[in-house]
Amino acid sequence: MAAERDLLVPVLVDAVGRSGTTALMQLLASSPSVFAEREYPYESRYLTYLYSWARLLDGDQKMAGKWERGKMLPEAPNEIGGLPWRDLLPSPSGFASKCFLAAWRHFSEGAPARASHYIEKVPLWVAGAIPSELPEARVIHLIRDPRDVWLSVRSFNAKRGFHAFGRRPGQSEEDYFEDFVAVQRERLGNLVGCGESSHEFVLRYEDMIAGPSESSARLGAWLGLQLRADALEVNRPEHVTSPTVDGSTGRWRRELERVWKKRFRTELGPLMSEFGYR
């Protein structure tokens, strides 16, 4: 019998939109030891899907007592949720975790023998939950100057002709700014003092762009991977909103209106300073 292969180590990229996640995924995917779909925009979320599926099995028992047994007869019923019957489960609370680990093992077995890691852009709740399921998981917290993120979001929304990145239909720019700042405040506040540990790594977009060789070396050493700095491709016409790579950092100094500069200083000034954004 063949030896059971090790589980793939998830490398989870945690960031808000327009923070440079695509560039970071390109860098991480430059290692042949990484299992990933190497196609723009790097957003096939296998791990997030499997974990979300497994969580349904624990659920909150909303279906309990409401599920008609006959609904199990047609193929692929579409009203799936938490298990409606639990009397025969020896440990209902651990069922979802065991199913997720079994699914991840099966997924890992499909990777090439040389693959040791898997990379994915994930929402914050997944970045917080997966390490408790897979203790070897690594989380990269990618941050970028909030003022540049704001400008990039505005430009990208205008470029595509619709609102995204948390802006609701019909929402005013003022109301969206309040939501945007609240997300940034919570995110940066949680990362103050985080730095670099055995399982978490805070990376500034600006450092990755200004010093790709140094950043790839640091990340590679942390992950135990050989990363190629020349794999970074940050000038995709359909993705970028700045004419040059260098121009994507500190653009707020040139483009941000005075009123918004003042609002950012008022709302996020001390927190931004914690990360070198002044």
Side-chain angles (χ1 to χ4, degrees), residues 84-154:
W85 319 290
R86 296 175 177 243
D87 291 345
L88 300 185
L89 287 178
S91 178
S93 62
F95 188 58
S97 179
K98 291 177 181 178
C99 288
F100 169 69
L101 292 176
W104 190 246
R105 178 164 298 284
H106 183 73
F107 183 83
S108 297
E109 289 170 351
R114 69 171 184 265
S116 57
H117 293 65
Y118 165 81
I119 59 174
E120 183 172 312
K121 299 181 188 180
V122 297
L124 181 59
W125 68 269
V126 173
I130 291 300
S132 64
E133 302 284 355
L134 298 166
E136 295 304 312
R138 305 294 186 89
V139 180
I140 301 173
H141 303 287
L142 181 64
I143 62 173
R144 184 181 183 184
D145 191 315
R147 294 162 292 193
D148 284 342
V149 175
W150 172 256
L151 284 170
S152 185
V153 165
R154 287 200 319 190

Side-chain angles (χ1 to χ4, degrees), residues 26-70:
Q26 290 171 344
L27 179 59
L28 295 171
S30 68
S31 169
S33 297
V34 165
F35 189 46
E37 288 185 351
R38 291 166 168 80
E39 295 182 5
Y40 174 83
Y42 301 91
E43 291 180 356
S44 296
R45 296 182 169 91
Y46 292 88
L47 182 141
T48 297
Y49 183 90
L50 291 175
Y51 187 61
S52 298
W53 159 78
R55 287 187 69 201
L56 281 176
L57 299 174
D58 271 347
D60 57 7
Q61 301 191 52
K62 286 183 179 178
M63 298 304 297
K66 301 178 183 178
W67 187 278
E68 296 179 13
R69 286 165 173 76

Side-chain angles (χ1 to χ4, degrees), residues 143-212:
I143 62 173
R144 184 181 183 184
D145 191 315
R147 294 162 292 193
D148 284 342
V149 175
W150 172 256
L151 284 170
S152 185
V153 165
R154 287 200 319 190
S155 299
F156 199 56
N157 283 346
K159 184 175 186 175
R160 297 193 298 177
F162 61 89
H163 291 316
F165 305 103
R167 185 166 181 174
R168 301 185 299 275
Q171 187 178 32
S172 69
E173 190 168 55
E174 172 64 30
D175 288 343
Y176 177 54
F177 178 79
E178 294 295 331
D179 291 346
F180 178 90
V181 163
V183 170
Q184 292 284 342
R185 184 183 295 113
E186 181 178 10
R187 176 175 169 74
L188 294 179
N190 289 337
L191 292 178
V192 170
C194 185
E196 180 180 333
S197 67
S198 59
H199 289 84
E200 291 185 287
F201 191 109
V202 176
L203 175 66
R204 297 194 335 156
Y205 168 81
E206 293 80 7
D207 295 334
M208 179 174 63
I209 296 302

